[in-house]
Amino acid sequence: MPELPEVEIFKRYLDATSLHQRIDDVEVRNTYILKETSARELARGLKGRRFESSRRHGKHLFVRVDDEVWLRLHFGMTGSLQYCKNDERAPRHARVIFGFGNNYRLVFDDQRQFGQVGLLKDVDEFLKERELGPDALDLGLAEFRQILGKHRGAVKSILMNQRLMSGIGNIYADEILFRTRIHPATEIARLKDRAVKKLFLATHFVLRKAIAAKADTNQVPQSWLLPHRGKGGKCPRCGSRLKSASIGGRTAWFCPHCQKRPSQN
Ligand SMILES: [Zn+2]
């Protein structure tokens, strides 16, 4: 599922391929994906115009057409972008296709169909309506401390709560906690100041490093949890067998030796 690093990679891909070209055609192959807009409105809002710039917030990507028209992309579970020539076959799960004047097109591909495409007028207004917290990479230590200090619950659930901070999902929350050797079910109130600071530094480190590795599982360091998570996986630090648990409705992977659960008394 695309999280902050994947969406940042999509943003860079779109910036490198699809800006400043006339949009000649907008083809919607599945309307389920459209939010807050119809296929007609989407075509009317975009045809004859250009994508001028883009902005990412958490897992959302916004593409500016002009001050009053923004395209919103959310990648759901399996969404991705592909830029290809008109005479090349479109990817199998193409849902929306933006055709440019240069014989290329940008395809929003999405097998599982949880992605979202829409038009909106004001990005900040949208973020406010959705009550999305600040982007995880925009947070400073003081703000991070404040957010954690105000809430109760498992540390992993807090990291993944998009209303508190945006962009971290299941995979990177596990990675950040593995790096800090904190058990994912640890009650946030039990974390000392030092642990909170470590968590903050790890959040920035993991997200930035994942972006540098193009959010590719094969390119992140082998010392990370990511290449090993899953059944039969072993901790790259101590060799223990990794464990899983359901926390906040998602499957957490962790090392039971390196990430000890603090005693509850
Ligand atoms: Zn370990």
Side-chain angles (χ1 to χ4, degrees):
M1 185 186 261
E3 302 181 26
L4 187 155
E6 285 83 4
V7 180
E8 179 63 26
I9 297 303
F10 294 146
K11 172 183 165 31
R12 294 178 185 189
Y13 181 74
L14 183 139
D15 288 352
T17 58
S18 305
L19 296 185
H20 316 305
Q21 303 178 52
R22 200 183 63 244
I23 303 164
D24 280 351
D25 188 46
V26 179
E27 181 190 345
V28 178
R29 292 196 173 174
N30 291 59
T31 49
Y32 80 90
I33 207 166
L34 297 180
K35 305 291 167 201
E36 73 260 339
T37 190
S38 68
R40 234 177 106 196
E41 283 168 343
L42 189 70
R44 204 165 45 202
L46 299 179
K47 265 192 188 173
R49 308 170 89 178
R50 291 170 166 79
F51 295 136
E52 296 295 352
S53 59
S54 70
R55 167 181 172 188
R56 184 191 55 71
H57 186 103
K59 303 177 194 174
H60 290 268
L61 181 57
F62 304 96
V63 191
R64 182 178 172 276
V65 177
D66 65 30
D67 280 342
E68 295 242 302
V69 180
W70 290 78
L71 175 72
R72 177 173 79 84
L73 302 173
H74 189 278
F75 298 88
M77 291 184 72
T78 54
S80 69
L81 294 176
Q82 285 185 50
Y83 184 73
C84 50
K85 272 192 163 160
N86 273 346
D87 55 10
E88 279 174 66
R89 230 175 111 184
R92 195 156 152 226
H93 305 290
R95 306 304 182 189
V96 182
I97 301 176
F98 307 97
F100 300 116
N102 65 350
N103 275 329
Y104 277 79
R105 49 194 179 166
L106 180 70
V107 178
F108 187 93
D109 187 77
D110 184 17
Q111 183 186 357
R112 296 284 301 276
Q113 315 199 5
F114 288 101
Q116 302 176 5
V117 174
L119 281 185
L120 47 86
K121 281 188 175 163
D122 186 330
V123 173
D124 292 315
E125 196 60 39
F126 173 84
L127 298 177
K128 230 165 96 186
E129 272 168 26
R130 289 289 179 99
E131 299 180 34
L132 288 170
D135 186 81
L137 277 178
D138 286 342
L139 278 176
L141 176 59
E143 210 180 344
F144 188 82
R145 260 192 211 294
Q146 208 179 31
I147 290 170
L148 267 57
K150 271 203 293 206
H151 293 88
R152 293 290 169 266
V155 60
K156 183 174 176 189
S157 304
I158 303 276
L159 289 176
M160 286 175 47
N161 185 335
Q162 303 300 301
R163 292 184 174 185
L164 302 183
M165 59 186 95
S166 293
I168 302 170
N170 195 37
I171 300 278
Y172 291 104
D174 281 353
E175 197 65 54
I176 290 162
L177 292 166
F178 177 71
R179 186 170 176 82
T180 47
R181 304 196 188 195
I182 296 171
H183 189 288
T186 307
E187 164 61 46
I188 196 84
R190 295 178 66 93
L191 290 183
K192 303 223 160 60
D193 274 3
R194 246 185 80 221
V196 171
K197 187 174 178 189
K198 265 170 78 179
L199 199 57
F200 168 76
L201 294 172
T203 297
H204 277 254
F205 179 85
V206 165
L207 294 176
R208 286 189 192 288
K209 191 95 178 168
I211 292 168
K214 303 205 160 61
D216 179 346
T217 312
N218 298 315
Q219 286 193 49
V220 301
Q222 282 295 314
S223 59
W224 281 26
L225 183 68
L226 186 51
H228 309 281
R229 56 182 290 140
K231 265 211 171 87
K234 289 194 173 137
C235 172
R237 191 186 277 138
C238 74
S240 299
R241 194 165 285 257
L242 297 173
K243 271 184 81 171
S244 67
S246 176
I247 294 164
R250 303 295 303 276
T251 302
W253 283 94
F254 60 97
C255 171
H257 178 75
C258 297
Q259 296 166 268
K260 291 230 161 65
R261 192 172 184 159
S263 59
Q264 295 300 312
N265 46 40

Short mmCIF file of all heavy atoms in Angstrom, two decimals, residues 1-14 32-33 55-63 71-82 98 106-117:
data_model
loop_
_atom_site.label_atom_id
_atom_site.label_comp_id
_atom_site.label_asym_id
_atom_site.label_seq_id
_atom_site.Cartn_x
_atom_site.Cartn_y
_atom_site.Cartn_z
N MET A 1 0.85 -1.20 0.00
CA MET A 1 0.00 0.00 0.00
C MET A 1 0.88 1.25 0.00
O MET A 1 1.74 1.40 0.87
CB MET A 1 -0.87 -0.02 1.26
CG MET A 1 -1.86 1.11 1.30
SD MET A 1 -2.73 1.13 2.86
CE MET A 1 -4.24 0.31 2.40
N PRO A 2 0.69 2.11 -0.98
CA PRO A 2 1.58 3.28 -1.06
C PRO A 2 1.49 4.19 0.17
O PRO A 2 0.42 4.62 0.56
CB PRO A 2 1.07 4.01 -2.32
CG PRO A 2 0.37 2.97 -3.11
CD PRO A 2 -0.23 2.03 -2.11
N GLU A 3 2.64 4.42 0.79
CA GLU A 3 2.72 5.33 1.93
C GLU A 3 3.53 6.54 1.49
O GLU A 3 3.84 6.68 0.30
CB GLU A 3 3.39 4.61 3.12
CG GLU A 3 2.63 3.35 3.55
CD GLU A 3 3.27 2.65 4.75
OE1 GLU A 3 3.95 3.32 5.55
OE2 GLU A 3 3.10 1.43 4.86
N LEU A 4 3.87 7.39 2.45
CA LEU A 4 4.56 8.63 2.10
C LEU A 4 5.72 8.46 1.12
O LEU A 4 5.79 9.18 0.10
CB LEU A 4 5.01 9.33 3.40
CG LEU A 4 5.60 10.73 3.30
CD1 LEU A 4 5.43 11.47 4.61
CD2 LEU A 4 7.05 10.74 2.87
N PRO A 5 6.64 7.52 1.34
CA PRO A 5 7.78 7.42 0.40
C PRO A 5 7.34 7.05 -1.03
O PRO A 5 7.85 7.62 -2.00
CB PRO A 5 8.64 6.30 1.01
CG PRO A 5 8.29 6.30 2.46
CD PRO A 5 6.82 6.62 2.50
N GLU A 6 6.39 6.11 -1.15
CA GLU A 6 5.93 5.72 -2.48
C GLU A 6 5.27 6.91 -3.18
O GLU A 6 5.49 7.15 -4.38
CB GLU A 6 4.91 4.57 -2.40
CG GLU A 6 5.51 3.20 -2.10
CD GLU A 6 5.76 2.96 -0.62
OE1 GLU A 6 5.38 3.83 0.20
OE2 GLU A 6 6.34 1.91 -0.28
N VAL A 7 4.44 7.65 -2.43
CA VAL A 7 3.72 8.77 -3.05
C VAL A 7 4.71 9.88 -3.45
O VAL A 7 4.55 10.53 -4.47
CB VAL A 7 2.59 9.29 -2.13
CG1 VAL A 7 1.86 10.46 -2.77
CG2 VAL A 7 1.60 8.17 -1.83
N GLU A 8 5.75 10.06 -2.64
CA GLU A 8 6.79 11.03 -3.01
C GLU A 8 7.48 10.60 -4.31
O GLU A 8 7.79 11.43 -5.17
CB GLU A 8 7.81 11.15 -1.87
CG GLU A 8 8.97 12.12 -2.14
CD GLU A 8 8.54 13.57 -2.32
OE1 GLU A 8 7.49 13.97 -1.78
OE2 GLU A 8 9.26 14.32 -3.03
N ILE A 9 7.69 9.30 -4.48
CA ILE A 9 8.29 8.80 -5.72
C ILE A 9 7.33 9.03 -6.91
O ILE A 9 7.76 9.43 -7.99
CB ILE A 9 8.66 7.30 -5.60
CG1 ILE A 9 9.72 7.10 -4.51
CG2 ILE A 9 9.15 6.72 -6.92
CD1 ILE A 9 11.01 7.88 -4.69
N PHE A 10 6.03 8.81 -6.68
CA PHE A 10 5.04 9.10 -7.75
C PHE A 10 5.07 10.59 -8.09
O PHE A 10 4.98 10.97 -9.26
CB PHE A 10 3.62 8.71 -7.32
CG PHE A 10 3.41 7.23 -7.13
CD1 PHE A 10 2.55 6.75 -6.15
CD2 PHE A 10 4.05 6.31 -7.95
CE1 PHE A 10 2.35 5.39 -5.97
CE2 PHE A 10 3.85 4.95 -7.79
CZ PHE A 10 3.01 4.49 -6.80
N LYS A 11 5.19 11.43 -7.08
CA LYS A 11 5.24 12.88 -7.33
C LYS A 11 6.44 13.23 -8.22
O LYS A 11 6.33 13.96 -9.19
CB LYS A 11 5.35 13.64 -6.00
CG LYS A 11 5.61 15.14 -6.20
CD LYS A 11 5.78 15.85 -4.86
CE LYS A 11 6.39 17.23 -4.94
NZ LYS A 11 6.17 18.03 -6.11
N ARG A 12 7.59 12.68 -7.89
CA ARG A 12 8.80 12.99 -8.67
C ARG A 12 8.67 12.45 -10.10
O ARG A 12 9.16 13.06 -11.05
CB ARG A 12 10.03 12.41 -7.97
CG ARG A 12 10.27 13.12 -6.65
CD ARG A 12 11.45 12.56 -5.88
NE ARG A 12 11.54 13.22 -4.58
CZ ARG A 12 12.55 13.10 -3.74
NH1 ARG A 12 13.57 12.31 -4.06
NH2 ARG A 12 12.55 13.73 -2.59
N TYR A 13 8.03 11.31 -10.21
CA TYR A 13 7.82 10.70 -11.54
C TYR A 13 6.90 11.59 -12.38
O TYR A 13 7.19 11.90 -13.54
CB TYR A 13 7.21 9.32 -11.33
CG TYR A 13 6.94 8.54 -12.59
CD1 TYR A 13 7.99 7.95 -13.30
CD2 TYR A 13 5.65 8.35 -13.05
CE1 TYR A 13 7.74 7.21 -14.45
CE2 TYR A 13 5.40 7.61 -14.20
CZ TYR A 13 6.45 7.05 -14.89
OH TYR A 13 6.21 6.32 -16.03
N LEU A 14 5.81 12.03 -11.76
CA LEU A 14 4.87 12.90 -12.47
C LEU A 14 5.56 14.22 -12.84
O LEU A 14 5.42 14.70 -13.97
CB LEU A 14 3.64 13.16 -11.59
CG LEU A 14 2.53 14.00 -12.22
CD1 LEU A 14 1.16 13.43 -11.86
CD2 LEU A 14 2.58 15.46 -11.80
N TYR A 32 -15.85 4.26 -10.64
CA TYR A 32 -15.81 4.05 -9.18
C TYR A 32 -14.72 4.89 -8.53
O TYR A 32 -14.79 5.29 -7.38
CB TYR A 32 -15.51 2.56 -8.88
CG TYR A 32 -14.05 2.27 -8.99
CD1 TYR A 32 -13.22 2.40 -7.87
CD2 TYR A 32 -13.48 1.96 -10.22
CE1 TYR A 32 -11.86 2.22 -7.99
CE2 TYR A 32 -12.14 1.77 -10.33
CZ TYR A 32 -11.34 1.91 -9.23
OH TYR A 32 -9.99 1.75 -9.35
N ILE A 33 -13.67 5.14 -9.30
CA ILE A 33 -12.47 5.77 -8.76
C ILE A 33 -12.64 7.27 -8.57
O ILE A 33 -11.91 7.91 -7.82
CB ILE A 33 -11.29 5.46 -9.71
CG1 ILE A 33 -9.97 5.47 -8.96
CG2 ILE A 33 -11.24 6.40 -10.88
CD1 ILE A 33 -8.86 4.84 -9.79
N ARG A 55 2.03 18.86 -5.49
CA ARG A 55 2.25 19.00 -4.05
C ARG A 55 1.80 17.71 -3.38
O ARG A 55 0.72 17.20 -3.69
CB ARG A 55 1.41 20.19 -3.57
CG ARG A 55 1.27 20.31 -2.08
CD ARG A 55 0.41 21.51 -1.74
NE ARG A 55 0.14 21.51 -0.31
CZ ARG A 55 -0.71 22.34 0.30
NH1 ARG A 55 -1.36 23.24 -0.39
NH2 ARG A 55 -0.90 22.27 1.60
N ARG A 56 2.63 17.19 -2.50
CA ARG A 56 2.26 15.97 -1.78
C ARG A 56 1.94 16.32 -0.34
O ARG A 56 2.61 17.16 0.26
CB ARG A 56 3.40 14.96 -1.81
CG ARG A 56 3.06 13.61 -1.17
CD ARG A 56 4.27 12.73 -0.99
NE ARG A 56 5.33 13.39 -0.23
CZ ARG A 56 5.27 13.64 1.07
NH1 ARG A 56 4.23 13.26 1.79
NH2 ARG A 56 6.25 14.29 1.68
N HIS A 57 0.92 15.71 0.21
CA HIS A 57 0.67 15.82 1.65
C HIS A 57 0.32 14.43 2.15
O HIS A 57 -0.70 13.86 1.75
CB HIS A 57 -0.48 16.80 1.93
CG HIS A 57 -0.66 17.06 3.40
ND1 HIS A 57 -0.22 18.22 4.01
CD2 HIS A 57 -1.18 16.29 4.38
CE1 HIS A 57 -0.49 18.14 5.31
NE2 HIS A 57 -1.07 16.99 5.56
N GLY A 58 1.16 13.87 3.01
CA GLY A 58 0.93 12.50 3.47
C GLY A 58 0.86 11.57 2.28
O GLY A 58 1.77 11.53 1.45
N LYS A 59 -0.25 10.84 2.17
CA LYS A 59 -0.40 9.89 1.07
C LYS A 59 -1.18 10.47 -0.11
O LYS A 59 -1.54 9.74 -1.03
CB LYS A 59 -1.11 8.63 1.57
CG LYS A 59 -0.41 7.96 2.75
CD LYS A 59 -1.23 6.76 3.23
CE LYS A 59 -0.76 6.29 4.59
NZ LYS A 59 -1.63 5.23 5.13
N HIS A 60 -1.49 11.76 -0.05
CA HIS A 60 -2.22 12.40 -1.14
C HIS A 60 -1.27 13.15 -2.06
O HIS A 60 -0.32 13.78 -1.60
CB HIS A 60 -3.22 13.43 -0.60
CG HIS A 60 -4.39 12.82 0.11
ND1 HIS A 60 -5.56 12.50 -0.51
CD2 HIS A 60 -4.54 12.44 1.41
CE1 HIS A 60 -6.41 11.97 0.37
NE2 HIS A 60 -5.80 11.92 1.54
N LEU A 61 -1.59 13.10 -3.36
CA LEU A 61 -0.83 13.89 -4.33
C LEU A 61 -1.81 14.84 -5.02
O LEU A 61 -2.88 14.42 -5.49
CB LEU A 61 -0.17 12.96 -5.35
CG LEU A 61 0.68 13.63 -6.43
CD1 LEU A 61 1.79 14.47 -5.82
CD2 LEU A 61 1.30 12.57 -7.35
N PHE A 62 -1.45 16.12 -5.04
CA PHE A 62 -2.28 17.14 -5.67
C PHE A 62 -1.51 17.73 -6.84
O PHE A 62 -0.34 18.10 -6.70
CB PHE A 62 -2.60 18.25 -4.66
CG PHE A 62 -3.26 17.76 -3.41
CD1 PHE A 62 -2.51 17.50 -2.26
CD2 PHE A 62 -4.63 17.53 -3.37
CE1 PHE A 62 -3.11 17.04 -1.10
CE2 PHE A 62 -5.24 17.06 -2.21
CZ PHE A 62 -4.48 16.81 -1.07
N VAL A 63 -2.18 17.81 -7.98
CA VAL A 63 -1.52 18.34 -9.17
C VAL A 63 -2.23 19.64 -9.57
O VAL A 63 -3.43 19.64 -9.84
CB VAL A 63 -1.56 17.34 -10.34
CG1 VAL A 63 -0.63 17.81 -11.46
CG2 VAL A 63 -1.17 15.95 -9.86
N LEU A 71 -5.98 18.56 -9.42
CA LEU A 71 -6.30 17.14 -9.53
C LEU A 71 -5.80 16.46 -8.26
O LEU A 71 -4.69 16.71 -7.82
CB LEU A 71 -5.59 16.55 -10.76
CG LEU A 71 -5.71 15.05 -10.97
CD1 LEU A 71 -7.12 14.69 -11.42
CD2 LEU A 71 -4.69 14.57 -12.00
N ARG A 72 -6.65 15.64 -7.68
CA ARG A 72 -6.24 14.93 -6.47
C ARG A 72 -6.08 13.44 -6.78
O ARG A 72 -6.97 12.83 -7.38
CB ARG A 72 -7.30 15.09 -5.39
CG ARG A 72 -6.98 14.32 -4.11
CD ARG A 72 -7.97 14.65 -3.03
NE ARG A 72 -9.24 13.94 -3.19
CZ ARG A 72 -9.45 12.69 -2.75
NH1 ARG A 72 -8.49 12.01 -2.16
NH2 ARG A 72 -10.64 12.12 -2.91
N LEU A 73 -4.96 12.88 -6.39
CA LEU A 73 -4.72 11.44 -6.58
C LEU A 73 -4.43 10.79 -5.23
O LEU A 73 -3.60 11.29 -4.46
CB LEU A 73 -3.51 11.21 -7.51
CG LEU A 73 -3.58 11.83 -8.92
CD1 LEU A 73 -2.25 11.65 -9.63
CD2 LEU A 73 -4.70 11.20 -9.73
N HIS A 74 -5.16 9.72 -4.96
CA HIS A 74 -4.83 8.92 -3.79
C HIS A 74 -4.69 7.48 -4.28
O HIS A 74 -5.53 7.00 -5.05
CB HIS A 74 -5.92 9.03 -2.72
CG HIS A 74 -5.52 8.40 -1.42
ND1 HIS A 74 -5.64 7.05 -1.20
CD2 HIS A 74 -4.98 8.91 -0.29
CE1 HIS A 74 -5.18 6.77 0.02
NE2 HIS A 74 -4.78 7.89 0.59
N PHE A 75 -3.65 6.80 -3.84
CA PHE A 75 -3.27 5.56 -4.49
C PHE A 75 -3.86 4.30 -3.85
O PHE A 75 -3.57 3.19 -4.30
CB PHE A 75 -1.74 5.48 -4.60
CG PHE A 75 -1.19 6.60 -5.45
CD1 PHE A 75 -0.87 7.84 -4.90
CD2 PHE A 75 -1.07 6.44 -6.82
CE1 PHE A 75 -0.41 8.89 -5.70
CE2 PHE A 75 -0.61 7.48 -7.63
CZ PHE A 75 -0.28 8.71 -7.06
N GLY A 76 -4.65 4.50 -2.80
CA GLY A 76 -5.36 3.36 -2.20
C GLY A 76 -4.40 2.26 -1.81
O GLY A 76 -3.42 2.50 -1.11
N MET A 77 -4.67 1.04 -2.29
CA MET A 77 -3.80 -0.09 -1.94
C MET A 77 -2.80 -0.42 -3.04
O MET A 77 -1.70 -0.89 -2.76
CB MET A 77 -4.66 -1.33 -1.66
CG MET A 77 -5.46 -1.18 -0.39
SD MET A 77 -6.36 -2.68 -0.02
CE MET A 77 -5.00 -3.73 0.48
N THR A 78 -3.21 -0.24 -4.30
CA THR A 78 -2.35 -0.73 -5.38
C THR A 78 -2.16 0.30 -6.50
O THR A 78 -1.71 -0.05 -7.59
CB THR A 78 -2.97 -2.00 -6.01
OG1 THR A 78 -4.32 -1.69 -6.40
CG2 THR A 78 -2.98 -3.17 -5.05
N GLY A 79 -2.52 1.56 -6.24
CA GLY A 79 -2.44 2.58 -7.29
C GLY A 79 -1.00 2.89 -7.67
O GLY A 79 -0.08 2.77 -6.86
N SER A 80 -0.81 3.26 -8.94
CA SER A 80 0.51 3.71 -9.38
C SER A 80 0.34 4.54 -10.65
O SER A 80 -0.74 4.59 -11.23
CB SER A 80 1.45 2.52 -9.66
OG SER A 80 1.00 1.82 -10.80
N LEU A 81 1.41 5.21 -11.06
CA LEU A 81 1.38 6.03 -12.26
C LEU A 81 2.32 5.45 -13.31
O LEU A 81 3.41 4.97 -12.96
CB LEU A 81 1.83 7.46 -11.94
CG LEU A 81 0.93 8.29 -11.02
CD1 LEU A 81 1.58 9.63 -10.72
CD2 LEU A 81 -0.45 8.48 -11.66
N GLN A 82 1.88 5.50 -14.56
CA GLN A 82 2.78 5.08 -15.63
C GLN A 82 2.64 6.04 -16.81
O GLN A 82 1.53 6.33 -17.25
CB GLN A 82 2.46 3.66 -16.07
CG GLN A 82 2.95 2.65 -15.04
CD GLN A 82 2.75 1.24 -15.51
OE1 GLN A 82 3.12 0.89 -16.61
NE2 GLN A 82 2.15 0.43 -14.67
N PHE A 98 -4.70 10.15 -18.87
CA PHE A 98 -4.57 11.54 -19.28
C PHE A 98 -3.70 11.58 -20.54
O PHE A 98 -2.51 11.25 -20.48
CB PHE A 98 -3.92 12.37 -18.17
CG PHE A 98 -4.62 12.23 -16.84
CD1 PHE A 98 -4.15 11.33 -15.88
CD2 PHE A 98 -5.75 12.98 -16.55
CE1 PHE A 98 -4.80 11.19 -14.65
CE2 PHE A 98 -6.41 12.84 -15.33
CZ PHE A 98 -5.93 11.94 -14.38
N LEU A 106 -0.42 9.69 -19.42
CA LEU A 106 -0.16 9.33 -18.03
C LEU A 106 -1.33 8.46 -17.57
O LEU A 106 -2.49 8.87 -17.66
CB LEU A 106 -0.06 10.58 -17.15
CG LEU A 106 0.21 10.31 -15.67
CD1 LEU A 106 1.63 9.77 -15.45
CD2 LEU A 106 0.00 11.57 -14.83
N VAL A 107 -0.98 7.27 -17.10
CA VAL A 107 -2.01 6.30 -16.72
C VAL A 107 -2.05 6.14 -15.21
O VAL A 107 -1.01 5.93 -14.57
CB VAL A 107 -1.71 4.92 -17.37
CG1 VAL A 107 -2.75 3.90 -16.94
CG2 VAL A 107 -1.67 5.05 -18.88
N PHE A 108 -3.25 6.25 -14.65
CA PHE A 108 -3.46 5.89 -13.26
C PHE A 108 -3.91 4.44 -13.25
O PHE A 108 -5.00 4.11 -13.68
CB PHE A 108 -4.52 6.80 -12.62
CG PHE A 108 -4.67 6.60 -11.13
CD1 PHE A 108 -3.95 7.38 -10.25
CD2 PHE A 108 -5.53 5.64 -10.62
CE1 PHE A 108 -4.08 7.21 -8.86
CE2 PHE A 108 -5.66 5.45 -9.24
CZ PHE A 108 -4.94 6.24 -8.37
N ASP A 109 -3.03 3.57 -12.78
CA ASP A 109 -3.25 2.13 -12.79
C ASP A 109 -3.61 1.69 -11.36
O ASP A 109 -3.01 2.18 -10.41
CB ASP A 109 -1.95 1.45 -13.25
CG ASP A 109 -2.11 -0.04 -13.47
OD1 ASP A 109 -2.68 -0.41 -14.50
OD2 ASP A 109 -1.68 -0.82 -12.60
N ASP A 110 -4.59 0.81 -11.23
CA ASP A 110 -4.99 0.44 -9.87
C ASP A 110 -5.75 -0.88 -9.87
O ASP A 110 -6.95 -0.92 -10.10
CB ASP A 110 -5.86 1.57 -9.28
CG ASP A 110 -6.24 1.29 -7.83
OD1 ASP A 110 -5.60 0.43 -7.19
OD2 ASP A 110 -7.16 1.96 -7.34
N GLN A 111 -5.06 -1.94 -9.56
CA GLN A 111 -5.67 -3.26 -9.60
C GLN A 111 -6.82 -3.43 -8.60
O GLN A 111 -7.90 -3.87 -8.94
CB GLN A 111 -4.61 -4.33 -9.35
CG GLN A 111 -5.16 -5.74 -9.45
CD GLN A 111 -4.13 -6.78 -9.06
OE1 GLN A 111 -2.98 -6.47 -8.76
NE2 GLN A 111 -4.55 -8.02 -9.07
N ARG A 112 -6.58 -3.05 -7.35
CA ARG A 112 -7.55 -3.33 -6.31
C ARG A 112 -8.69 -2.31 -6.22
O ARG A 112 -9.63 -2.50 -5.46
CB ARG A 112 -6.85 -3.43 -4.94
CG ARG A 112 -5.85 -4.57 -4.84
CD ARG A 112 -6.53 -5.92 -4.67
NE ARG A 112 -7.38 -5.96 -3.48
CZ ARG A 112 -6.94 -6.23 -2.26
NH1 ARG A 112 -5.68 -6.47 -2.04
NH2 ARG A 112 -7.77 -6.26 -1.24
N GLN A 113 -8.57 -1.23 -6.92
CA GLN A 113 -9.65 -0.25 -7.02
C GLN A 113 -10.01 0.48 -5.73
O GLN A 113 -11.17 0.80 -5.49
CB GLN A 113 -10.91 -0.89 -7.60
CG GLN A 113 -10.63 -1.77 -8.79
CD GLN A 113 -11.87 -2.02 -9.63
OE1 GLN A 113 -12.94 -1.49 -9.40
NE2 GLN A 113 -11.72 -2.82 -10.66
N PHE A 114 -9.00 0.74 -4.90
CA PHE A 114 -9.25 1.57 -3.73
C PHE A 114 -8.71 2.99 -3.93
O PHE A 114 -8.75 3.82 -3.04
CB PHE A 114 -8.62 0.97 -2.46
CG PHE A 114 -9.35 -0.25 -1.96
CD1 PHE A 114 -8.86 -1.52 -2.22
CD2 PHE A 114 -10.54 -0.11 -1.26
CE1 PHE A 114 -9.53 -2.64 -1.77
CE2 PHE A 114 -11.22 -1.23 -0.81
CZ PHE A 114 -10.73 -2.49 -1.06
N GLY A 115 -8.15 3.23 -5.09
CA GLY A 115 -7.59 4.55 -5.39
C GLY A 115 -8.68 5.59 -5.56
O GLY A 115 -9.87 5.26 -5.67
N GLN A 116 -8.29 6.85 -5.56
CA GLN A 116 -9.24 7.95 -5.70
C GLN A 116 -8.67 9.02 -6.62
O GLN A 116 -7.50 9.38 -6.51
CB GLN A 116 -9.53 8.60 -4.34
CG GLN A 116 -10.09 7.64 -3.32
CD GLN A 116 -10.27 8.31 -1.96
OE1 GLN A 116 -10.08 9.51 -1.81
NE2 GLN A 116 -10.65 7.51 -0.97
N VAL A 117 -9.53 9.51 -7.50
CA VAL A 117 -9.15 10.61 -8.39
C VAL A 117 -10.26 11.66 -8.31
O VAL A 117 -11.44 11.32 -8.39
CB VAL A 117 -9.00 10.12 -9.84
CG1 VAL A 117 -8.76 11.28 -10.79
CG2 VAL A 117 -7.86 9.09 -9.95
#
